[in-house]
Amino acid sequence: MTPAAHGRHGGKSGPSEPGRRCGRGRWCAVAPALAASVVVVCVPAAYAAPPGPAAAAAPAQGAGGGLDRYHRQRLDWGSCVKGPDDTAGRDLDRAGVSCADVTVPLDYADPRGRTITVAVSRLKAADTRRRIGAVLLNNGGPGGTAVESPPHIRKAMKEVGARYDIVGFDPRFVGRSTPLDCGWPVGTAWFSAGSGRSGFDRQVALQKDLADKCRAAGASVLPHINTRNTARDMDVIRGALRERRISYLGYSYGTYLGTVYTQMFPGRYDRVVLDGAVTPGDYKARLMQGAEPENERALADWASWAAGRHNVHGLGRTRAAVLATVEGIVAASARGPLTVGTAPDVFRLDDTQVPLILFMGIADDTDTARTALAERVSALAKAAQGRPAPLSPDFAQLLRFALTDEQAATGGVQAAIICGDVGAPRDPEVYWRDIERSRTAHPLFGPLTNNINPCAFWDRPREELTRVRRDAAVLIVAATGDPRTTYRSSVGLHELLPSSKLITLENANRHGLYGEYGNACVDGEVNAYLATGRLPEADRTCGAAPSSSSSSSSSSSSSSD
């Protein structure tokens, strides 16, 4: 996931890169720009939220308990266009997608009280004679949208796609659903603590202000923004679609959501694919804490790639030289903010912001993504030398997302979900001690992954975290070098679910694989499962072509125990 951005791959434990669908975004993190950076981490099965207001007992888990009218509602399917400037809606209409709003209770303990709407989209099965059912999509974030995703997923599913109704949804208070806008001045809360105490103290003040703004804007709804309520909304969607069981495809944070659904609603799901999975023990308020080694390896691999293209990007002829360039940029930003861009897009980046820019660029090892990061680092290197540093369009978009209020609603709702799920330490000194301990081994990413965030100033979660108490026969997909939801985390979830199977993509620093990375082995395994409902007999391993573009990466497959 990643800091909130438009893309999925939280962006995603965490934000996505600008221009990516937040839906397919990652840990991705958030609005396209940051979603890929922030990872959403899961909390240990045995972990209980810190003491706080006790949650009201939830009503019966499906129809009944006052929820019958929600499950039996009739959806008014129609155009996806919301207004004259809604180009995404027009694209969905042209692709044959219909849209509707599903009414759900704000508070499932009071189903006769206030209601909100959850936006859904549907690309109906073309092969009605062999129709399998409906598959529900979540692209991660948390806070990522998926209403726009059915056409893309239909393409990824190849022949089997015609046998499904493909259904995207924007979780409560996300995208086209009933909105929440905290009025933030920035698009993400996930920054570094910087190189010293003064930067951390500024972060404490910023994070408290962000939490206060959300409380002022949405005090009545914040207690009801959490993953368990989103899972309950998913079950209402299932009922409104008149499906006895529903299949599910989730990326990044969406894998945690999918796991929660299997635990809360056993018997109501069919085929479940979790791509870039998080074990609940890794889901915590500091989403990326503990993933420093994976991010450092991804940065070093990118540095080797950039060294081979020194004549293009001028960052150094060896891995060590490129990493030295990065270290010089960070050191310069600690001495004073770096000025990048030209009017009207001029930004000043200090040492709390530069590490985030680097972090957001290393969750994808395709040539396209690595080139984009090289262009950003090149601009930062020029700024560190006091030279003019013009921005590429995608870098300008990322900075507008992260550092202005252009898409601030995304960051606010991402924080609301995470902080509504997981209790966090309240004392800033706890964070400072963790930062200082981590800084020795991980000077670049430790102060980012251990930094304070709005959850330190949030009201305590209303419900405890979901524990994995039931086995679930799901398909888990993971890359060995995933810097967001780490491979270790995917293996951890696999071990918690003995009936699951794991598809491993070797030698790829990539977050979000199925239908995204272009690996025929991974895509083929997922599509075979979606077509037959049968998991592979054993875990499988696929190979990735190094530094290949997502449209041309080769693959191989072999059995592994």
Side-chain angles (χ1 to χ4, degrees):
M1 302 160 217
T2 23
H6 298 104
R8 120 177 119 263
H9 310 308
K12 51 8 144 255
S13 162
S16 324
E17 293 292 337
R20 285 175 146 159
R21 353 173 217 115
C22 195
R24 301 197 332 257
R26 327 205 166 331
W27 243 169
C28 311
V30 184
L34 295 191
S37 354
V38 177
V39 178
V40 181
V41 238
C42 300
V43 181
Y47 177 90
Q61 300 288 14
L67 297 178
D68 288 7
R69 68 187 181 102
Y70 296 103
H71 285 261
R72 295 173 182 170
Q73 66 185 288
R74 295 196 173 277
L75 302 183
D76 183 17
W77 294 103
S79 171
C80 296
V81 177
K82 292 293 188 181
D85 298 325
D86 187 3
T87 56
R90 286 196 293 275
D91 288 344
L92 289 171
D93 283 359
R94 282 193 290 267
V97 177
S98 299
C99 290
D101 288 328
V102 179
T103 300
V104 299
L106 172 66
D107 181 357
Y108 276 86
D110 182 19
R112 291 178 175 81
R114 179 178 171 184
T115 64
I116 58 175
T117 59
V118 172
V120 296
S121 62
R122 180 177 65 181
L123 186 56
K124 295 191 72 173
D127 187 351
T128 55
R129 185 178 63 84
R130 299 191 300 155
R131 182 182 180 275
I132 294 170
V135 58
L136 193 61
L137 313 176
N138 182 275
N139 289 317
T145 68
V147 160
E148 75 282 8
S149 295
H152 172 81
I153 296 301
R154 170 66 59 84
K155 182 178 179 182
M157 292 172 73
K158 298 184 168 63
E159 292 81 5
V160 71
R163 301 176 61 192
Y164 280 90
D165 287 356
I166 303 175
V167 181
F169 80 106
D170 290 355
R172 52 175 50 203
F173 300 101
V174 170
R176 295 171 182 243
S177 298
T178 297
L180 169 68
D181 187 344
C182 291
W184 283 8
V186 291
T188 182
W190 315 106
F191 296 103
S192 174
S195 58
R197 182 71 197 214
S198 61
F200 174 72
D201 288 343
R202 291 195 303 273
Q203 283 294 305
V204 172
L206 170 65
Q207 303 299 339
K208 182 179 186 303
D209 181 61
L210 296 179
D212 289 345
K213 281 180 164 56
C214 277
R215 191 174 295 108
S220 64
V221 300
L222 290 181
H224 310 292
I225 304 178
N226 57 54
T227 298
R228 289 180 66 85
N229 276 340
T230 299
R232 294 177 178 117
D233 294 344
M234 286 169 54
D235 203 55
V236 170
I237 293 170
R238 178 198 59 77
L241 292 173
R242 306 298 187 261
E243 299 287 343
R244 187 174 65 87
R245 296 191 301 169
I246 196 161
S247 294
Y248 178 79
L249 168 62
Y251 295 88
S252 194
Y253 160 82
T255 68
Y256 176 61
L257 173 61
T259 300
V260 170
Y261 188 82
T262 68
Q263 301 305 299
M264 293 179 67
F265 299 97
R268 297 189 186 168
Y269 58 89
D270 185 10
R271 300 160 203 197
V272 175
V273 179
L274 306 179
D275 189 319
V278 183
T279 185
D282 288 338
Y283 185 64
K284 50 197 171 189
R286 286 182 278 182
L287 298 172
M288 290 307 304
Q289 190 180 40
E292 297 87 1
E294 286 82 1
N295 281 278
E296 288 170 349
R297 283 197 294 272
L299 181 65
D301 287 349
W302 167 81
S304 293
W305 176 94
R309 293 157 181 79
H310 175 74
N311 292 340
V312 177
H313 302 294
L315 300 176
R317 296 188 181 278
T318 65
R319 171 190 288 198
V322 174
L323 292 175
T325 297
V326 170
E327 291 170 4
I329 291 168
V330 176
S333 71
R335 293 191 294 271
L338 309 181
T339 301
V340 296
T342 55
D345 289 320
V346 177
F347 302 91
R348 288 169 58 78
L349 307 176
D350 64 21
D351 57 342
T352 69
Q353 298 156 339
V354 168
L356 175 63
I357 302 306
L358 299 168
F359 181 82
M360 288 191 296
I362 54 176
D364 185 346
D365 63 3
T366 62
D367 283 341
T368 299
R370 284 176 161 176
T371 298
L373 178 56
E375 291 172 347
R376 296 171 196 172
V377 174
S378 178
L380 292 171
K382 291 174 184 175
Q385 297 165 3
R387 298 162 54 197
L391 301 176
S392 65
D394 89 294
F395 194 10
Q397 183 185 1
L398 184 151
L399 292 174
R400 285 196 301 272
F401 164 76
L403 304 180
T404 76
D405 63 359
E406 185 174 284
Q407 298 174 56
T410 305
V413 74
Q414 182 180 65
I417 296 167
I418 297 167
C419 304
D421 281 340
V422 189
R426 315 293 282 185
D427 184 357
E429 296 307 314
V430 170
Y431 298 88
W432 178 246
R433 288 193 295 268
D434 289 347
I435 289 164
E436 290 293 273
R437 273 194 296 266
S438 179
R439 194 190 300 276
T440 301
H442 309 291
L444 176 58
F445 292 129
L448 187 153
T449 58
N450 290 275
N451 195 24
I452 197 166
N453 62 52
C455 299
F457 307 100
W458 219 263
D459 293 341
R460 295 300 189 186
R462 290 284 186 96
E463 299 189 62
E464 291 186 357
L465 285 159
T466 301
R467 296 175 170 87
V468 175
R469 302 182 186 276
R470 298 182 173 92
D471 192 9
V474 306
L475 186 64
I476 300 171
V477 179
T480 56
D482 188 337
R484 295 296 171 266
T485 50
T486 67
Y487 185 68
R488 290 178 287 112
S489 201
S490 291
V491 170
L493 180 61
H494 181 36
E495 292 171 346
L496 282 177
L497 303 174
S499 296
S500 66
K501 290 295 184 288
L502 175 64
I503 307 299
T504 296
L505 180 65
E506 292 188 318
N507 304 318
N509 300 324
R510 168 70 187 209
H511 185 61
L513 299 175
Y514 173 67
E516 297 280 329
Y517 197 54
N519 187 279
C521 172
V522 169
D523 291 355
E525 292 287 352
V526 172
N527 285 336
Y529 168 59
L530 292 173
T532 66
R534 294 190 298 272
L535 290 167
E537 292 185 4
D539 294 342
R540 303 281 289 177
T541 298
C542 298
S547 298
S548 58
S549 69
S550 60
S551 62
S552 62
S553 59
S554 63
S555 61
S556 62
S557 174
S558 63
S559 297
S560 65
D561 294 329

